[in-house]
Amino acid sequence: MKSIMIKCQLVILAAAVCLFFFQTNSYASQKRIKIHGAVEEPLNLTLKEIQAMSEFHINAVSILKEKQNKADKEKLIEVADYGGVLLRDILEKAGMKYKRKWEPAVFIRVKGIKDEEVIFSFGEIFYSSIGRSTLLTYRKDGKLIGSSNGCPGLIVSNDIRNGRRIKAVTEIIVERVDIKMKVYEERKKNILQPSTSYLELIDKKSGNTQKVTFEDLTGLPELQIHDKVQIGDCEGFHGVYSYEGVTLRSFLEKQQFVSQPYFYDRYVAVHSENGFCATFSIGELFNSKLGNNIVMAYKKDGKMLAPDEGFLMMVAGEDNTGGRSVKRISNIIIF
Ligand SMILES: Nc1nc2c(c(=O)[nH]1)N[C@H]1C(S)=C(S)[C@@H](COP(=O)(O)O)O[C@H]1N2
Ligand SMILES: [Mo]
């Protein structure tokens, strides 16, 4: 009796396994990529539909091996020409749900086979030139690339090493950091929070928390951003300023909150007391040719910041809009 039951169970199990493979295979043969989350219209595009979009080329993309340790030797994997569709263009096709001051806190998860995931910040894709360097690729050196599923690959030509390269991209998810944005309601009520002389640094995974004051920045190399155009879609043109500060990267390293190997499925959210928030991906901070570009500034035009700017404010030097220049930084959270 017992053995019959076991046999029955085995037959059912085998049938379930067959059904599972049949389903995943038929799904795979369609090679689809799903775009969903905080978008206006979720999409489920076939590779053919992606190939029908306007093709973008990035030539001579050099790919270095990701390092596990600072001491690891640099290894060049290849230099190749790529064709595909910009991640930005696919996101625009779906339409971004969050607008205006809600927008800089958005981030994008890109998933490949084997549960690989990399994160991009809204700002790097839509405000900085990384958006023109991030490609869902299906063509290499002029020839179509084969793929087991989804779109054959993701490349970021502005990245230095290959940590954010994934294969068989099947899913893109748009999300916003879960931090309440109170700016508009506080403005209506004419509330102006006093700025603090410290900020809180939090690692959400380890629970590690540090209170950081101006003194904690001593010893970090000072960086200048010349001619930062201060302009915003909702705030207008405010002028061109120079800033002095330290890079967010060197700060996070010094506080020992981020070190190699880098986890590109993580990101940093910087916000002020009123919940105004911007995201920065680990990739753009630690693996980008624009790595020296994201600065926590304490001086503007040679003078310490004004009270409404706090003791520190973010300056993303290359961004074409002021959306990520968080003033009065009160929290830096690594998700
Ligand atoms: N703390 C805080 N920082 C903020 C904002 C905000 O509402 N609160 N607005 C952002 C937006 S949307 C823009 S466009 C710029 C405007 O900066 P500016 O006033 O210097 O032009 O600041 C950014 N920094
Ligand atoms: Mo803005």
Side-chain angles (χ1 to χ4, degrees):
M1 190 61 191
K2 217 175 179 185
S3 74
I4 293 176
M5 265 180 51
I6 292 177
K7 268 184 197 158
C8 274
Q9 281 173 339
L10 279 176
V11 169
I12 292 169
L13 186 72
V17 168
C18 281
L19 196 68
F20 173 78
F21 275 105
F22 174 75
Q23 277 196 334
T24 44
N25 271 340
S26 66
Y27 188 77
S29 64
Q30 291 175 24
K31 293 185 183 155
R32 281 178 179 276
I33 172 164
K34 212 169 131 181
I35 301 108
H36 61 116
V39 293
E40 279 164 352
E41 188 198 346
L43 300 172
N44 193 350
L45 301 173
T46 62
L47 181 55
K48 282 219 166 72
E49 286 170 317
I50 287 172
Q51 286 167 342
M53 291 173 70
S54 72
E55 186 168 340
F56 194 85
H57 293 268
I58 308 176
N59 288 347
V61 180
S62 59
I63 298 168
L64 298 174
K65 194 169 184 286
E66 187 68 30
K67 285 168 43 164
Q68 296 304 308
N69 274 297
K70 249 200 170 103
D72 282 358
K73 268 214 180 110
E74 299 290 0
K75 187 167 181 278
L76 177 70
I77 297 170
E78 62 172 23
V79 180
D81 296 344
Y82 281 96
V85 174
L86 289 175
L87 173 62
R88 184 195 64 187
D89 290 350
I90 289 190
L91 290 170
E92 269 175 2
K93 198 177 166 82
M96 296 289 97
K97 210 167 178 175
Y98 287 106
K99 304 264 148 66
R100 300 178 75 84
K101 282 181 191 267
W102 281 276
E103 165 185 289
V106 169
F107 61 94
I108 301 126
R109 300 181 191 275
V110 180
K111 292 189 172 201
I113 40 166
K114 296 185 220 142
D115 273 341
E116 281 180 307
E117 176 178 318
V118 294
I119 285 187
F120 293 88
S121 67
F122 184 96
E124 74 178 312
I125 297 299
F126 289 98
Y127 304 155
S128 94
S129 59
I130 298 175
R132 277 163 269 134
S133 117
T134 305
L135 201 62
L136 285 153
T137 174
Y138 51 78
R139 197 187 302 281
K140 179 178 165 183
D141 292 332
K143 291 187 206 87
L144 289 178
I145 318 168
S147 176
S148 57
N149 200 352
C151 189
L154 172 81
I155 62 151
V156 188
S157 69
N158 251 327
D159 278 3
I160 298 158
R161 302 186 185 85
N162 72 348
R164 288 208 285 186
R165 275 182 69 123
I166 52 174
K167 285 190 176 141
V169 177
T170 52
E171 202 176 351
I172 299 170
I173 310 159
V174 181
E175 288 178 42
R176 185 181 182 276
V177 175
D178 190 17
I179 291 168
K180 193 162 186 278
M181 235 272 299
K182 297 175 285 186
V183 182
Y184 290 119
E185 34 182 296
E186 288 193 356
R187 266 198 195 171
K188 252 191 235 154
K189 292 183 196 151
N190 242 328
I191 300 172
L192 228 161
Q193 306 278 2
S195 76
T196 54
S197 56
Y198 67 91
L199 64 85
E200 221 155 28
L201 179 59
I202 301 156
D203 184 320
K204 274 278 175 190
K205 275 204 180 137
S206 67
N208 195 0
T209 301
Q210 265 178 27
K211 199 170 158 173
V212 176
T213 63
F214 195 74
E215 278 69 53
D216 292 305
L217 305 181
T218 47
L220 287 171
E222 187 174 274
L223 203 104
Q224 289 204 10
I225 294 200
H226 304 283
D227 295 340
K228 169 68 189 164
V229 181
Q230 212 65 55
I231 194 161
D233 61 346
C234 37
E235 306 278 344
F237 174 60
H238 281 216
V240 180
Y241 302 100
S242 70
Y243 288 95
E244 277 168 63
V246 298
T247 61
L248 179 55
R249 174 195 177 133
S250 62
F251 170 69
L252 292 173
E253 272 171 345
K254 184 192 170 224
Q255 303 304 113
Q256 296 182 324
F257 269 64
V258 180
S259 60
Q260 261 158 340
Y262 300 127
F263 295 101
Y264 297 114
D265 57 353
R266 302 196 70 185
Y267 63 97
V268 181
V270 178
H271 72 87
S272 54
E273 79 300 322
N274 59 17
F276 181 80
C277 181
T279 58
F280 300 88
S281 71
I282 292 294
E284 76 178 308
L285 292 171
F286 291 88
N287 188 26
S288 177
K289 293 168 192 169
L290 300 170
N292 263 355
N293 176 54
I294 291 158
V295 167
M296 295 163 36
Y298 39 76
K299 274 187 187 169
K300 181 179 176 181
D301 283 345
K303 289 193 239 31
M304 296 309 271
L305 295 179
D308 68 320
E309 292 162 331
F311 88 104
L312 281 175
M313 69 174 275
M314 289 307 300
V315 179
E318 203 235 5
D319 280 13
N320 50 20
T321 178
R324 293 202 287 178
S325 49
V326 182
K327 297 173 201 168
R328 304 184 306 281
I329 300 173
S330 65
N331 292 78
I332 299 180
I333 310 169
I334 309 169
F335 282 94

